[in-house]
Amino acid sequence: MSKNTVKPALTPKPGKRARRRVENTQFDAFARRILRAYARRIADGDVEALGALAALTAEVDAVCRLAVAGLRQAPYGYSWSEIADRLGVSRQAAQMRYGDTTDRGAIDRRLLEAGLGVSVATLVRVFADHHPGSPAASRCPGCGFRYPDGVLDCPTNATVRPLLLRRRGEDREAVALLTPDQFADLCKPITTRLRAAVRQAALPSPCPDRVPTLFDHAGKDTTR
């Protein structure tokens, strides 16, 4: 029997395919197609899903915060002017909306390190650490952010809340670690949060300290 002279390095393993790189422009087009299809399904008579569609604006805001925070960190270090140019707004507007530790209050480092791959367990721990408590304190116990009138979310929990609401069913054991007060606050009725979010989407932020209202776009679910 002749010796096998095939070089393994030049022969792909059976069943193993080369990883296909997908550009962000393709992701963008795919996401837009999904949203348009979602809107068409609701327009076909599913009025109950309208609130969930409108609530996606809060989650988009939350992931934009994480994306901007990542772009601001090493090794990228993009300036506020560069970020504002891509957003089509002024540097001051971008800094006011997505500002980090020195600009609007601390974004928890656990979120910055995990990025968009953050786990539900981490979201739960961060939410609990930055929860204002009951009765609410005047400052966030996790980062020291002073709450403006009528606002009880620091920038960190403003980012965490919509993500945890949407993904809470992925790890019910982790969510069960929240106290009853924390879980009740997380699952406030959608109607209250939806009205506030719609008003906020229609109007510009009135001041630098204004934190976007976030709400449960998946509906009311108090099971663990």
Side-chain angles (χ1 to χ4, degrees):
M1 189 175 208
S2 62
K3 184 179 179 180
N4 186 0
T5 58
V6 176
K7 295 183 179 180
L10 301 179
T11 306
K13 294 181 179 179
K16 189 172 183 179
R17 299 170 58 185
R19 185 175 180 181
R20 180 169 175 260
R21 182 177 177 83
V22 179
E23 300 296 336
N24 283 338
T25 52
Q26 293 174 274
F27 271 115
D28 177 79
F30 174 71
R32 291 172 186 270
R33 289 197 301 272
I34 289 293
L35 286 174
R36 287 194 292 266
Y38 191 10
R40 288 195 297 270
R41 290 170 67 92
I42 294 172
D44 215 18
D46 188 5
V47 68
E48 298 300 330
L50 183 60
L53 176 63
L56 287 176
T57 58
E59 186 161 347
V60 170
D61 185 75
V63 296
C64 279
R65 288 175 183 273
L66 290 178
V68 170
L71 291 172
R72 292 277 296 158
Q73 299 295 309
Y76 312 110
Y78 284 99
S79 69
W80 282 115
S81 295
E82 291 173 306
I83 289 172
D85 182 61
R86 272 65 175 185
L87 293 173
V89 300
S90 68
R91 181 185 63 79
Q92 292 84 356
Q95 198 167 347
M96 285 163 49
R97 186 172 183 84
Y98 299 111
D100 56 18
T101 303
T102 59
D103 306 302
R104 297 186 63 241
I107 296 292
D108 194 289
R109 185 163 297 278
R110 288 169 290 184
L111 297 180
L112 301 181
E113 292 174 351
L116 299 181
V118 63
S119 68
V120 173
T122 297
L123 291 173
V124 167
R125 288 193 294 270
V126 172
F127 182 81
D129 290 346
H130 290 263
H131 190 265
S134 182
S138 61
R139 288 179 178 270
C140 171
C143 63
F145 176 80
R146 182 180 289 278
Y147 300 117
D149 291 342
V151 174
L152 289 178
D153 266 341
C154 67
T156 288
N157 264 6
T159 300
V160 168
R161 184 185 291 276
L163 301 179
L164 184 53
L165 279 168
R166 180 174 180 82
R167 299 179 55 194
R168 64 190 185 277
E170 295 177 17
D171 190 343
R172 295 186 181 275
E173 290 185 4
V175 174
L177 297 176
L178 294 173
T179 67
D181 284 341
Q182 291 166 353
F183 187 77
D185 177 54
L186 182 67
C187 296
K188 282 180 180 177
I190 187 173
T191 52
T192 301
R193 293 186 182 277
L194 180 57
R195 285 195 296 268
V198 170
R199 286 197 301 271
Q200 183 183 352
L203 299 173
S205 179
C207 68
D209 290 330
R210 179 71 175 176
V211 177
T213 301
L214 300 168
F215 50 91
D216 182 1
H217 67 301
K220 193 174 181 181
D221 178 9
T222 57
T223 60
R224 296 189 181 184

